Amino acid sequence: MTAKQRRKRGRPVNDALPIAFVGTYPPQRCGIGTFTRDLSDAVISASDKVRGTVVAMTDAESTFEHGERVRFEIRQGVRGDYLRAADFINYSDTRMVSIQHEYGIFGGKDGAYVLDFLAELRKPSMTTLHTVLDRPTASQRQIVQKISERSAHLVVMSHLAVELLEKSYDISSERTQVIPHGIPEMRDVERDLNKAKFGVEGKHVLLTFGLIGPSKGIELVIRALPGLVTEFPDLIYLVVGATHPEVARLMGEEYRHSLKREVESLGLLDHVVFRDQYVDDDELCSYLQAADIYITPYQNEAQITSGTLAYAMGSGAAPVSTPYWYAKELLAEGRGHLFGFGDVDGLGNALGSLLSNPMEMKRIQRSAYAFARQMIWPKVGQDYLELIQRVLRQAVVPEPPEVLPRSIPELRLDHLVRMTDDTGLLQHAAHSVPDRRFGYCVDDNARGLLVALLAQRVIGLGETRPLITTYLSYLHHSQCEDGQFLNFMDFRRNLDHEPGSEDCVGRALWALGLAVQLAPDEGHRLLAKKMFDQSMTLPLTFGPRGTALGILGLDSYLQSQPDDEVAVETLHALAAKLMARFEAEADETWRWFEPDLSYKNALLPLALFTYSKRTGDKRALRVACDSLAFLEEICFAGKFLQLVGNAGWHSRGGELPIADEQPIDASAFVLAFRAAYDATGDRRYMIRMRQSFEWFLGDNRLGLSLYDFSTAGCHDGLGESALNQNQGAESLVSFLIALLAMLGLASDGLGSEEIETDPAREKRESSRE
């Protein structure tokens, strides 16, 4: 097509402004999805030069019928999609990318996968931050800092957010612009006309709308009503909106049913109306313009924006709210009433004062409506367009990192699911096919539980919840009354009544400790705690590896149960025992806990690094550093990790055996170096962590990848001259635990490009994929 032909079609090529909007998008039901749609509509309407496309965030388990504006979808937990989406934009005519950021809509811990997208992106971008915290975790802080570094500009919706970014994230206000949350343009019409639509004409109408969940605090309004309806018998409270999809998935309709029960018990059936569905924009505006008073009784102070409150002000309703950050800013200068968190009497007084003083209520309605005129979408769209044009005049195309972050494989649970039946995780495979002849064991089901619990933070509960339940149930069935575990079960579900090994018990404790912290519902957590309590002190009589596993389990357990005195005392005793073992055995040339290096060696320094980080114990840190350095000298003597082979241990003064290197040993190294980095901040440990992980992908003695990209399984070992061709449970979960540690490092704001050690790995993996 010639330039002349292109001009005939509408606009000069260099005058067009194609913009890609990244975020959730309708029909997905979430506030950011609605915002992304309305923002793209507003910016496109602000200029006939703008062309808009959408890259939509989706749930891997859901299928949405998006409109034609959506040109690409990113499945939340599929890391490769973020890179492919960036490539899609890079090879398009897009000139600017507008990203909607909320920690929960992106994959990885705290939504870290968005950093992969930004690292790959070669077009200027600006990011709207929908959540800004005053006390972010280290991971949350680093992610937002890196978003700021890789975005040309940030947008927030309140002035407090600018202050928080400076105070809590060290992000200069010069990089940030306040543009208010957009709202539909609603005329200041007679409220009785809209009240008639819903059969509430002549009544005082209170309203709360949005996706319903426990954080909304609707029960506070219900509890304030009995004292009001006596004085105002025509009072109606409308609760409009579907249950939040995430709440519905975890709790069903439990919260809504509890509200309805409370309404009935308080005799308020004639005064509270629930509209249990997702309403479209026109109907929502009608509800808002039927309301005299709009209430946001939210329970969480740390809310930096609220689309529902913004909408209500734009409708001319009088706002009443708890003093979360956004409400305090919007309702200042007499634009609404605030009441304290959980303060039912305060809410009742605020509502009563407005209902009994129509002139004051009218004043607040007019004040809120006038203030909100700056927030209507045509104005907000124009503000965004002006910022985009300014950014484009100053924009520098992002430079690619030295190595792109493709080289960590995507998390896939295909083979784990294949190896799991309704009893548990099968031990062995014949090649990549589950081998039922060998049944199950506690060791593998405990490892599987660790993987499933950690993976839920990356890919969500859809795929992991059934695995968590299955593995926890297997451990429960295998536990004895004295806390011991019966390790083996055949395929016909007959338990071998020989007590399990120390490793078996220690590994079960580690998984149970993590389940107490991370299991998806209270029932799972309560069962895990009961089981943990039964076995907690058993490692006091164990050898080094059982002791180390006990330390890891106790550390996980204490994350959620910090005041358990028995757990704290047991943890200190186990660490003291492990350190004493090192000091009794080690000398200047053999800095180790035993006279031999055998299996899972790096587990021992891992436990002491973990203990040191929790307690600040310098002796534990010294022993951990010394013992890990000793392992480095032996296993990193060449260009890659060479593990102690299971064909024979490495004795003091002996030769390192090379045959039968095991994935479980490489995985222990990955975790140990990660823990060393966490305890010391020494970035050298990140390099070693990466080298240890690369063992799985071919940087090893035979130059062969143990990870099978086609099956998502892992070969059982590295023999003298070939791979073990079977892909059983132990090797699989060892790889997955190592992979999750690598993804967790990226999730902490340290992208894989920062710890990459072999640029050729990118090419090798791309060819495999």
Side-chain angles (χ1 to χ4, degrees), residues 31 44 71 385 742:
I44 291 168
R71 300 288 305 283
L385 179 60
M742 295 300 298

Side-chain angles (χ1 to χ4, degrees), residues 531-602:
M531 295 172 64
F532 189 93
D533 289 345
Q534 283 181 262
S535 305
M536 182 195 304
T537 59
L538 292 180
L540 290 170
T541 63
F542 289 176
R545 282 160 189 77
T547 298
L549 287 164
I551 290 171
L552 296 173
L554 284 158
D555 178 72
S556 295
Y557 175 82
L558 288 167
Q559 298 287 344
S560 59
Q561 308 292 322
D563 299 325
D564 189 319
E565 294 182 1
V566 175
V568 171
E569 291 174 4
T570 305
L571 177 67
H572 291 320
L574 292 177
K577 182 174 65 156
L578 195 57
M579 288 185 280
R581 179 69 179 255
F582 176 85
E583 290 161 353
E585 189 69 41
D587 59 30
E588 290 185 3
T589 61
W590 187 263
R591 302 190 307 282
W592 194 242
F593 304 81
E594 302 166 299
D596 300 305
L597 289 175
S598 54
Y599 66 100
K600 297 196 303 290
N601 296 300

Side-chain angles (χ1 to χ4, degrees), residues 116-411:
D116 293 340
F117 172 77
L118 285 166
E120 183 92 342
L121 192 64
R122 298 292 159 264
K123 300 295 178 79
S125 66
M126 49 188 273
T127 301
T128 301
L129 301 177
H130 290 255
T131 295
V132 181
L133 303 171
D134 62 334
R135 290 187 293 273
T137 65
S139 166
Q140 291 166 337
R141 182 174 185 269
Q142 289 171 334
I143 287 169
V144 170
Q145 287 176 327
K146 286 193 172 294
I147 288 172
S148 176
E149 292 170 8
R150 296 171 184 177
S151 301
H153 215 75
L154 300 179
V155 176
V156 294
M157 301 180 205
S158 70
H159 294 283
L160 176 60
V162 179
E163 298 173 14
L164 290 175
L165 286 173
E166 284 197 297
K167 181 187 78 171
S168 302
Y169 298 82
D170 293 329
I171 295 174
S172 169
S173 60
E174 295 178 358
R175 295 194 47 73
T176 310
Q177 179 164 327
V178 178
I179 300 179
H181 193 297
I183 60 173
E185 189 166 8
M186 291 175 272
R187 293 182 297 111
D188 189 11
V189 299
E190 180 59 49
R191 295 196 172 273
D192 285 340
L193 294 176
N194 283 294
K195 288 181 181 182
K197 293 181 182 180
F198 305 111
V200 292
E201 63 270 27
K203 297 182 181 293
H204 290 102
V205 177
L206 315 178
L207 173 67
T208 296
F209 90 89
L211 295 173
I212 304 303
S215 64
K216 298 297 184 183
I218 293 167
E219 64 275 11
L220 300 177
V221 185
I222 293 170
R223 292 166 191 167
L225 291 180
L228 293 169
V229 297
T230 302
E231 185 176 355
F232 305 99
D234 62 348
L235 192 63
I236 294 291
Y237 178 40
L238 301 178
V239 181
V240 178
T243 299
H244 193 289
E246 187 67 13
V247 173
R249 186 168 64 81
L250 294 174
M251 302 173 55
E253 294 294 339
E254 178 184 343
Y255 178 64
R256 187 184 296 274
H257 290 321
S258 73
L259 296 176
K260 291 182 177 180
R261 287 194 298 270
E262 189 153 10
V263 166
E264 185 173 4
S265 69
L266 293 173
L268 296 171
L269 289 173
D270 293 333
H271 299 278
V272 181
V273 177
F274 290 92
R275 176 73 189 278
D276 306 351
Q277 23 182 156
Y278 196 82
V279 297
D280 62 28
D281 286 355
D282 290 341
E283 192 171 12
L284 172 58
C285 289
S286 295
Y287 272 111
L288 287 166
Q289 293 186 293
D292 298 295
I293 299 172
Y294 184 78
I295 309 170
T296 57
Y298 301 163
Q299 309 272 40
N300 180 15
E301 180 186 31
Q303 188 162 335
I304 206 66
T305 186
S306 168
T308 63
L309 181 59
Y311 274 46
M313 293 182 72
S315 75
V320 174
S321 179
T322 49
Y324 57 91
W325 296 336
Y326 188 66
K328 287 170 68 174
E329 187 165 317
L330 257 63
L331 304 192
E333 300 176 359
R335 293 188 289 267
H337 283 197
L338 298 173
F339 66 96
F341 295 104
D343 185 358
V344 174
D345 291 339
L347 171 59
N349 292 336
L351 294 174
S353 68
L354 290 174
L355 293 168
S356 61
N357 189 341
M359 295 295 291
E360 173 65 5
M361 183 158 63
K362 192 67 176 175
R363 182 197 68 76
I364 290 178
Q365 289 172 340
R366 288 174 175 168
S367 176
Y369 183 80
F371 179 81
R373 300 306 294 165
Q374 65 178 309
M375 303 162 70
I376 60 174
W377 274 118
K379 174 68 168 64
V380 169
Q382 186 62 44
D383 290 345
Y384 267 89
L385 179 60
E386 290 175 4
L387 177 59
I388 288 168
Q389 291 170 330
R390 191 172 85 234
V391 166
L392 284 174
R393 288 193 295 269
Q394 303 168 351
V396 177
V397 176
E399 289 293 327
E402 291 184 10
V403 179
L404 299 178
R406 293 184 193 271
S407 51
I408 297 177
E410 178 180 302
L411 177 63

Side-chain angles (χ1 to χ4, degrees), residues 442 449 471-485 505 508-509 511-513 515-516 523-538 557:
V442 166
L449 182 55
Y471 302 148
L472 182 59
S473 176
Y474 183 91
L475 296 184
H476 181 234
H477 183 68
S478 301
Q479 189 179 35
C480 304
E481 290 185 6
D482 63 359
Q484 290 285 348
F485 286 84
V505 176
L509 274 173
L512 291 171
V516 174
H524 285 66
R525 292 191 292 273
L526 288 173
L527 176 59
K529 184 178 186 306
K530 179 181 177 182
M531 295 172 64
F532 189 93
D533 289 345
Q534 283 181 262
S535 305
M536 182 195 304
T537 59
L538 292 180
Y557 175 82

